[in-house]
Amino acid sequence: MAAKSKILVIGGTGYIGKFIVKASAETGHPTFVLVRDNTLSHPEKSKLVESFKSFGVTLLYGDLTDHDSLVKAIKQVDVVISALGGQQIDDQVKIIAAIKEAGNIKRFLPSEFGLDVDHHNAVEPVSSFFEKKVKIRRAIEAERIPYTYITSNLFAGHFLPNLLQQNVTTPPRDKVVILGDGNVKGVYVIEEDVATYTIKAVEDPRTLNKTVYVRPPANILTFNELVSLWEYKINSTLDKIYIPDDQLLKSIQESPFPDNFMLALRHSFLVKGDCNYEIDPSFGVEASKLYSEVKYTTVDNYLNAFV
Amino acid sequence: MAAKSKILVIGGTGYIGKFIVKASAETGHPTFVLVRDNTLSHPEKSKLVESFKSFGVTLLYGDLTDHDSLVKAIKQVDVVISALGGQQIDDQVKIIAAIKEAGNIKRFLPSEFGLDVDHHNAVEPVSSFFEKKVKIRRAIEAERIPYTYITSNLFAGHFLPNLLQQNVTTPPRDKVVILGDGNVKGVYVIEEDVATYTIKAVEDPRTLNKTVYVRPPANILTFNELVSLWEYKINSTLDKIYIPDDQLLKSIQESPFPDNFMLALRHSFLVKGDCNYEIDPSFGVEASKLYSEVKYTTVDNYLNAFV
């Protein structure tokens, strides 16, 4: 059996990065995380980095702005996964340049882990944000770097504990705000499963130069279905407050950044249905079909923890 | 009396841009707004643009990505104010290039309208965002373009109607979440006043190559003072839920973008006190002192509308 690919995660202490690092190490990939000199002085990040060490992860000290450190880190691995945050999308041109110079990378996964930025109906400021991701995709393709784009849809661990309501840490028990008519399908994926599918994809020839859509069938739900599921679990009916499309668009227009961004993102997936683009087999594959052996967490099961 | 400067606003249909356009036109400045061909197809923006026309504003069709259109627009005015949104900070290098080529601009105000990005204690991802604004400042200075930076602190119309609580449209009447100990001074400025001070500053020699801090004395309040003021108005005491600093930092670390951004921004001004940097007269001037004739709206008065 061939040795498992060596994986470098950039942004490994971030929201989704930490799950990817863990999944990579646990499945036996020699796993490397790029950390900055000052990462260990950040209390939360330092705790994470300690846990990484306990999984046998190798820390590589470097910085996006230090080209040589980046090339040196990249030369030690086969696969680069970027999990950089939303403010660092553009900075990935530096990773592309370093991969190009290193010349040894078999697969690059840029920071995606959301909607398919090549097929969406988002309004500003989210559309400008998606454009940044699109530019990175086009730069990767222009440089002929082997890639996989992970369209993992909605982070369940972020959106479900409060049923997309703000400022509540458990799902609502009295009333719920519904954007649009609530009849649009969304796809909720638990973060650990996003990481599992991502690591499965990194050395799979079927995902080479493709977009991997993560759409576990049991987790494709309209917002109304999500609310009904929750009402059933708590054996209670919630008051429903509907915010029509035009009112939502007005709120987006009248809010400053980042609130307008948060609302526009919800508009994209809850009103425009941007999770549910039809997959064209010429560029897309679906993760739960490719890796049917993965026992993903269903939304139904996940919500039980909050009853 | 000299003719008033001609002002071009870029980002004039955005959150703060619309107030600036109105203030500019109302004070007799020949006012121009850069609009894209597709701006009028956006229902909310098209309504705004109609209202601009009723104030006598001239629309100039152009686009940041079309250098010639930008140079042509800039050549018609004396002052350029950028009010571009948070996703377009980097794009201002295109405005700088066009101003440099046009060669006629007497003052450029880049998109700031928040905290002083040269003096802050923000954590990621806000610190990376502030760095983008810093880079634009340094690029303006390197090109020796005459500038004014407007540090207008917190948008009162955004933060006060819900006392910084999420998902409520009126200030809270039962409980309130307080980040940190609530004893840190913040500065809340009503958007119309931000615009008034901005327009006052554009041709003032005292603000040339300076940062204008907008700190109306009556509007410098700790969060606890804000809550007390509100409690007094509604004649009721709220339950107070304190979120300590380390818990807030953990939430920032464990939230995806843009939620981590929103929390980190609150951390910067509610916990770290980033509104309240001491003004060094070598680079900073204070707006309410310079323009003591402006009858700004006080937080106290503003909150009366929500009782």
Side-chain angles (χ1 to χ4, degrees):
Chain A
M1 204 178 145
K4 292 221 171 194
S5 307
K6 287 178 273 183
I7 297 177
L8 169 66
V9 183
I10 300 176
T13 61
Y15 182 75
I16 193 67
K18 58 182 178 287
F19 294 102
I20 292 173
V21 170
K22 193 160 179 269
S24 173
E26 284 181 346
T27 52
H29 289 277
T31 303
F32 301 76
V33 177
L34 191 76
V35 290
R36 278 177 289 195
D37 289 337
N38 65 4
T39 299
L40 297 179
S41 68
H42 183 296
E44 292 300 326
K45 285 185 192 286
S46 126
K47 266 186 249 172
L48 262 177
V49 166
E50 283 307 309
S51 77
F52 290 167
K53 285 190 202 159
S54 74
F55 313 140
V57 167
T58 305
L59 304 184
L60 297 177
Y61 287 86
D63 195 305
L64 284 184
T65 59
D66 175 356
H67 178 70
D68 293 341
S69 73
L70 208 50
V71 173
K72 198 176 149 198
I74 288 169
K75 279 193 172 162
Q76 300 184 54
V77 300
D78 307 300
V79 169
V80 176
I81 302 176
S82 164
L84 287 172
Q87 283 302 312
Q88 296 188 280
I89 297 304
D90 294 336
D91 291 343
Q92 294 180 110
V93 294
K94 292 167 186 153
I95 302 176
I96 294 172
I99 288 175
K100 195 71 189 162
E101 181 173 327
N104 60 307
I105 290 305
K106 300 200 188 89
R107 198 78 65 95
F108 175 44
L109 283 67
S111 191
E112 291 269 347
F113 309 108
L115 303 178
D116 180 6
V117 294
D118 272 321
H119 302 100
H120 70 88
N121 299 287
V123 298
E124 290 292 3
V126 169
S127 57
S128 284
F129 174 71
F130 284 176
E131 271 315 303
K132 293 179 188 186
K133 290 189 170 183
V134 167
K135 267 194 192 166
I136 293 298
R137 286 186 176 192
R138 296 298 92 80
I140 292 166
E141 294 155 14
E143 296 290 0
R144 300 185 175 279
I145 294 168
Y147 65 84
T148 300
Y149 305 141
I150 307 286
T151 292
S152 60
N153 294 301
L154 311 175
F155 290 138
H158 177 60
F159 287 118
L160 295 186
N162 59 10
L163 280 194
L164 287 96
Q165 309 297 296
Q166 292 170 29
N167 206 26
V168 283
T169 49
T170 52
R173 288 173 192 270
D174 48 356
K175 60 182 180 186
V176 62
V177 174
I178 298 174
L179 303 181
D181 65 10
N183 289 326
V184 166
K185 295 274 186 197
V187 183
Y188 301 87
V189 188
I190 282 76
E191 286 73 355
E192 284 84 352
D193 294 333
V194 171
T196 300
Y197 288 123
T198 299
I199 296 302
K200 290 255 175 198
V202 294
E203 53 189 11
D204 186 337
R206 296 171 298 175
T207 63
L208 178 64
N209 298 340
K210 289 265 165 49
T211 297
V212 173
Y213 295 86
V214 187
R215 293 185 185 175
N219 292 7
I220 305 175
L221 296 164
T222 70
F223 194 70
N224 288 332
E225 287 167 343
L226 205 54
V227 171
S228 295
L229 187 61
W230 178 242
E231 288 178 326
Y232 179 78
K233 284 182 192 294
I234 61 170
N235 196 21
S236 172
T237 303
L238 303 177
D239 284 341
K240 293 166 190 76
I241 302 156
Y242 290 88
I243 309 285
D245 190 8
D246 58 345
Q247 192 182 327
L248 179 58
L249 286 171
K250 195 162 185 285
S251 291
I252 293 167
Q253 171 70 17
E254 293 181 352
S255 299
F257 182 78
D259 295 62
N260 55 357
F261 189 100
M262 199 168 55
L263 293 170
L265 195 59
R266 282 160 167 71
H267 176 260
S268 155
F269 64 80
L270 289 174
V271 177
K272 290 295 182 180
D274 284 343
C275 288
N276 229 6
Y277 178 79
E278 198 180 332
I279 298 173
D280 178 332
S282 69
F283 60 76
V285 287
E286 198 278 313
S288 72
K289 283 188 196 139
L290 280 187
Y291 313 113
S292 57
E293 71 279 14
V294 174
K295 298 283 167 275
Y296 66 84
T297 301
T298 63
V299 169
D300 193 347
N301 270 333
Y302 186 79
L303 281 176
N304 289 338
F306 304 98
V307 174
Chain B
M1 203 178 143
K4 290 218 171 197
S5 307
K6 288 178 274 185
I7 296 177
L8 169 66
V9 183
I10 300 176
T13 61
Y15 181 76
I16 193 67
K18 59 182 178 289
F19 295 101
I20 292 173
V21 170
K22 192 159 179 271
S24 172
E26 283 180 349
T27 51
H29 289 276
T31 303
F32 301 76
V33 177
L34 191 76
V35 290
R36 279 177 289 197
D37 288 339
N38 65 4
T39 299
L40 298 177
S41 68
H42 183 295
E44 292 299 326
K45 286 185 191 288
S46 129
K47 265 186 250 171
L48 261 178
V49 166
E50 282 308 308
S51 77
F52 290 167
K53 285 190 203 159
S54 74
F55 314 138
V57 168
T58 304
L59 304 184
L60 297 176
Y61 287 85
D63 195 304
L64 285 185
T65 59
D66 176 353
H67 178 71
D68 293 342
S69 73
L70 207 50
V71 172
K72 199 176 149 198
I74 287 169
K75 279 192 172 162
Q76 300 183 54
V77 300
D78 308 299
V79 170
V80 176
I81 302 176
S82 164
L84 288 171
Q87 283 301 313
Q88 296 188 281
I89 297 304
D90 294 336
D91 291 343
Q92 295 180 110
V93 294
K94 293 167 185 153
I95 302 176
I96 293 171
I99 287 176
K100 194 72 191 161
E101 181 173 329
N104 61 306
I105 290 304
K106 300 200 188 89
R107 198 77 66 96
F108 175 42
L109 283 66
S111 192
E112 292 269 348
F113 309 109
L115 303 178
D116 179 5
V117 294
D118 272 322
H119 302 99
H120 71 86
N121 300 286
V123 297
E124 290 291 4
V126 169
S127 57
S128 283
F129 175 71
F130 284 176
E131 271 316 302
K132 293 179 188 187
K133 290 190 169 183
V134 167
K135 267 194 191 165
I136 293 298
R137 287 186 175 191
R138 296 299 90 81
I140 292 166
E141 293 155 13
E143 296 291 359
R144 300 184 175 278
I145 295 167
Y147 65 83
T148 300
Y149 306 141
I150 307 287
T151 293
S152 61
N153 294 300
L154 311 175
F155 290 139
H158 177 60
F159 287 117
L160 295 186
N162 60 11
L163 279 195
L164 287 97
Q165 309 295 298
Q166 291 171 31
N167 207 28
V168 283
T169 49
T170 52
R173 287 170 193 272
D174 48 357
K175 61 181 180 186
V176 62
V177 174
I178 298 174
L179 303 181
D181 63 10
N183 289 327
V184 165
K185 295 275 185 195
V187 183
Y188 301 87
V189 187
I190 282 75
E191 286 73 354
E192 284 84 353
D193 295 332
V194 171
T196 300
Y197 289 123
T198 299
I199 296 302
K200 290 252 176 199
V202 295
E203 53 188 12
D204 186 338
R206 296 170 298 174
T207 64
L208 178 65
N209 298 340
K210 289 263 164 53
T211 297
V212 174
Y213 294 86
V214 187
R215 295 185 183 173
N219 292 7
I220 304 176
L221 295 164
T222 69
F223 194 70
N224 288 332
E225 287 167 342
L226 206 54
V227 171
S228 296
L229 188 61
W230 178 242
E231 288 179 326
Y232 179 79
K233 284 181 192 296
I234 62 171
N235 196 21
S236 171
T237 304
L238 302 177
D239 285 339
K240 291 161 192 84
I241 302 155
Y242 290 88
I243 310 283
D245 190 7
D246 58 345
Q247 193 181 325
L248 178 58
L249 286 171
K250 194 161 186 286
S251 292
I252 293 167
Q253 171 68 16
E254 291 181 354
S255 300
F257 182 79
D259 295 63
N260 55 357
F261 189 98
M262 199 170 54
L263 293 171
L265 196 58
R266 282 160 168 69
H267 176 260
S268 154
F269 64 79
L270 289 174
V271 177
K272 290 294 183 181
D274 283 344
C275 288
N276 230 6
Y277 179 79
E278 198 181 332
I279 299 174
D280 178 333
S282 69
F283 60 77
V285 286
E286 199 279 312
S288 72
K289 282 186 197 143
L290 281 186
Y291 313 114
S292 56
E293 71 278 14
V294 174
K295 297 281 167 278
Y296 67 85
T297 300
T298 63
V299 169
D300 192 350
N301 269 333
Y302 186 78
L303 282 175
N304 288 337
F306 304 97
V307 174

